[in-house]
Amino acid sequence: MQKTLIVLLLIFTSSVFGACPPQGQTRQSLQALKATKFVMTDPVARTALAQDLLDCLSDPDPVMRDGIAYSALAEWMRADDFDAATLRTMRDALYTQLDRRDEIGFGRPFAALVLSEVARTDRIRAWMTPGERAAMVEKAANYVAAVRDYRGFDDKQGWRHGVAHGADWLMQLAMNPALSRSDTDRILTA
């Protein structure tokens, strides 16, 4: 009976959190990468790992979620390591994550936080079309308006922070000079 429960728990966790750490990686290999400030000279490998780390944003382990997945993605985006096609792919995957059920409350807030970094890349060097930008504003506004999980910090599981991460996303959008008046009004309404 106990073995059956453990197997079911492992199946449930892997389907909810995806592959974290990603295939071909270990917690130790990712911590070693973090020690180098996530420097990867192979852009193809970096892009593949970035896509795979998106699954770790739902992980209940704050080391994997905050310390590795979010930190790596933010570092690479702030270093301008991704082209527009990669950013679009990541954005769309994060939108999908926002639409998933999130019983333990990490996936949606951390998707919003990484989307704030995606929005920042467009603010620094525009790559989204006005329609894509307006759609992101709408997605962010809807996310913030729908937050009902107000949990913050937990000593064992770290931050959930749905409101603050949504605010980070709205802030990056609001700072973008390419936004239209209707976009900024939508942010204010949210």
Side-chain angles (χ1 to χ4, degrees):
M1 176 75 168
Q2 188 176 13
K3 287 182 182 178
T4 304
L5 287 173
I6 292 170
V7 170
L8 288 173
L9 180 61
L10 289 172
I11 291 168
F12 171 76
T13 344
S14 66
S15 67
V16 171
F17 306 124
C20 188
Q23 186 173 7
Q25 296 290 333
T26 64
R27 182 183 178 106
Q28 293 76 21
S29 69
L30 292 171
Q31 287 175 321
L33 182 59
K34 180 180 180 176
T36 68
K37 298 191 185 313
F38 302 105
V39 171
M40 291 181 73
T41 57
D42 180 351
V44 174
R46 181 178 49 241
T47 298
L49 181 57
Q51 296 291 339
D52 291 344
L53 285 175
L54 296 176
D55 284 338
C56 293
L57 297 173
S58 297
D59 197 291
D61 179 359
V63 171
M64 294 304 296
R65 181 186 62 247
D66 303 44
I68 293 174
Y70 167 71
S71 296
L73 294 164
E75 180 75 29
W76 293 328
M77 280 189 251
R78 287 177 179 252
D80 196 26
D81 284 341
F82 302 124
D83 62 14
T86 299
L87 291 167
R88 280 187 176 91
T89 300
M90 290 173 64
R91 177 199 63 202
D92 294 346
L94 291 162
Y95 284 172
T96 299
Q97 197 164 346
L98 279 179
D99 294 335
R100 287 187 197 137
R101 291 188 58 154
D102 187 19
E103 298 300 327
I104 62 169
F106 296 111
R108 297 185 78 225
F110 277 86
L113 183 60
V114 175
L115 281 162
S116 77
E117 293 294 333
V118 173
R120 181 187 176 280
T121 65
D122 182 62
R123 177 175 64 80
I124 301 300
R125 184 176 43 88
W127 56 270
M128 283 193 242
T129 66
E132 288 174 309
R133 206 171 286 115
M136 182 177 268
V137 166
E138 190 62 27
K139 196 76 152 164
N142 288 339
Y143 168 78
V144 169
V147 170
R148 297 293 177 267
D149 184 346
Y150 300 107
R151 289 177 286 183
F153 184 76
D154 175 278
D155 287 337
K156 291 183 181 175
Q157 295 182 321
W159 291 102
R160 280 183 176 84
H161 234 34
V163 173
H165 292 337
D168 291 332
W169 189 10
L170 290 176
M171 176 193 71
Q172 287 296 339
L173 288 165
M175 292 172 53
N176 191 329
L179 254 58
S180 69
R181 175 63 190 246
S182 63
D183 290 336
T184 57
D185 289 345
R186 180 65 178 113
I187 290 170
L188 182 60
T189 300

